[in-house]
Amino acid sequence: MISINIEKKLKAYSGQQWLKIDHQFADSSITKIYGPSGAGKTTFLKIIAGLVVPEKGGITVDGVTWLNTSSKISLSPQKRLVGFVFQNYALFPNMTVQEHLEYASNDAQWIQRLLKIGKLETLSDHKPEYLSGGQQQRLAILRAIAIRPKLLLMDEPFSALDPKMKSALIAELKLLFAELKMTVLIVSHNPQELEGLVDGELLINAEE
Ligand SMILES: Nc1ncnc2c1ncn2[C@@H]1O[C@H](COP(=O)(O)OP(=O)(O)OP(=O)(O)O)[C@@H](O)[C@H]1O
């Protein structure tokens, strides 16, 4: 169980806004995160990963305190070990597809399986600049999963995929998430794309 209760001041265009979230995520649940642009969805994922620290609040994961602002506890991102699929992919320009996955895992069979799931087997020696947007996005997803995280955070992870590729990948990921018992949070603007995958939703709205 992941328990989150945080308050973060957002640097908004028009005055000041607060991101306030009080929510629990069950183990192995898959949740869609949605809400208006600028409401703080990306910031929320970054707070969970330890990349942004909120003014106030706490996060506990399976009884372990990741964050407690009143006792000044904040585990480093390395210690939280979450998988993160960034909206802009954040790939390494000098690494091939294969090297991205080897950086995350030294299990050759697992890497082969991931390459197949992402339909990147024939592109394993390519660097990101020689990949299409959709291929780069699939690599970002595979790299995040490669570490077998307990918690996977995905920020608009399917935005560059065509409908056929998207539904095939989502079907594969659904099986993988269940097999690895991953808890997954997915930010998505698309009302339909996560149907059949998610078992819960969280609306994020910034407050004045
Ligand atoms: N580290 C930060 N500290 C405080 N405010 C931030 C920080 N990062 C971003 N912001 C501000 O928080 C607001 C929300 O940004 P964020 O990217 O989280 O929104 P979002 O809901 O993901 O939007 P979109 O759907 O457009 O991607 C913006 O006004 C942004 O300027």
Side-chain angles (χ1 to χ4, degrees):
M1 155 94 83
I2 300 169
S3 190
I4 301 180
N5 186 351
I6 51 102
E7 294 187 12
K8 168 78 190 157
K9 198 190 289 175
L10 297 175
K11 294 174 199 128
Y13 253 155
S14 51
Q16 209 171 72
Q17 289 197 310
W18 284 85
L19 171 67
K20 294 184 183 175
I21 309 276
D22 184 1
H23 197 82
Q24 270 103 43
F25 299 92
D27 285 342
S28 307
S29 60
I30 303 178
T31 306
K32 168 176 156 172
I33 313 272
Y34 68 106
S37 185
K41 301 180 295 295
T42 299
T43 305
F44 179 55
L45 295 189
K46 287 183 175 171
I47 288 170
I48 298 172
L51 301 170
V52 169
V53 179
E55 274 72 22
K56 219 174 117 182
I59 300 174
T60 55
V61 179
D62 296 334
V64 179
T65 301
W66 281 12
L67 175 81
N68 183 334
T69 51
S70 45
S71 49
K72 296 202 163 46
I73 295 172
S74 180
L75 284 196
S76 68
Q78 289 77 10
K79 290 211 172 113
R80 299 186 194 199
L81 257 183
V82 305
F84 205 125
V85 182
F86 292 91
Q87 207 169 6
N88 61 0
Y89 318 146
L91 297 173
F92 307 119
N94 292 321
M95 283 192 198
T96 64
V97 168
Q98 178 85 22
E99 285 164 353
H100 275 85
L101 301 181
E102 285 172 351
Y103 184 78
S105 166
N106 49 22
D107 180 341
Q109 258 185 337
W110 173 232
I111 289 175
Q112 260 331 100
R113 187 172 162 207
L114 289 174
L115 286 171
K116 195 156 172 244
I117 289 172
K119 296 194 169 52
L120 294 176
E121 306 109 298
T122 58
L123 300 170
S124 62
D125 60 351
H126 284 49
K127 289 185 178 163
E129 64 175 312
Y130 299 108
L131 299 175
S132 72
Q135 290 161 351
Q136 291 182 28
Q137 190 166 45
R138 299 206 297 283
L139 176 57
I141 294 171
L142 300 183
R143 179 184 57 182
I145 294 172
I147 61 168
R148 292 190 172 92
K150 290 274 292 168
L151 176 58
L152 178 64
L153 308 175
M154 309 177 92
D155 199 352
E156 291 284 354
F158 308 118
S159 58
L161 305 183
D162 67 70
K164 205 170 146 213
M165 179 66 81
K166 192 188 295 189
S167 53
L169 181 64
I170 286 178
E172 293 273 7
L173 291 180
K174 190 175 178 179
L175 296 172
L176 204 59
F177 293 163
E179 182 187 321
L180 298 177
K181 298 190 173 63
M182 265 190 231
T183 304
V184 187
L185 275 54
I186 309 173
V187 171
S188 173
H189 280 293
N190 185 318
Q192 276 104 39
E193 72 179 7
L194 303 182
E195 269 174 23
L197 176 67
V198 298
D199 43 35
E201 294 187 341
L202 173 64
L203 169 64
I204 292 196
N205 253 320
E207 297 175 26
E208 296 296 317

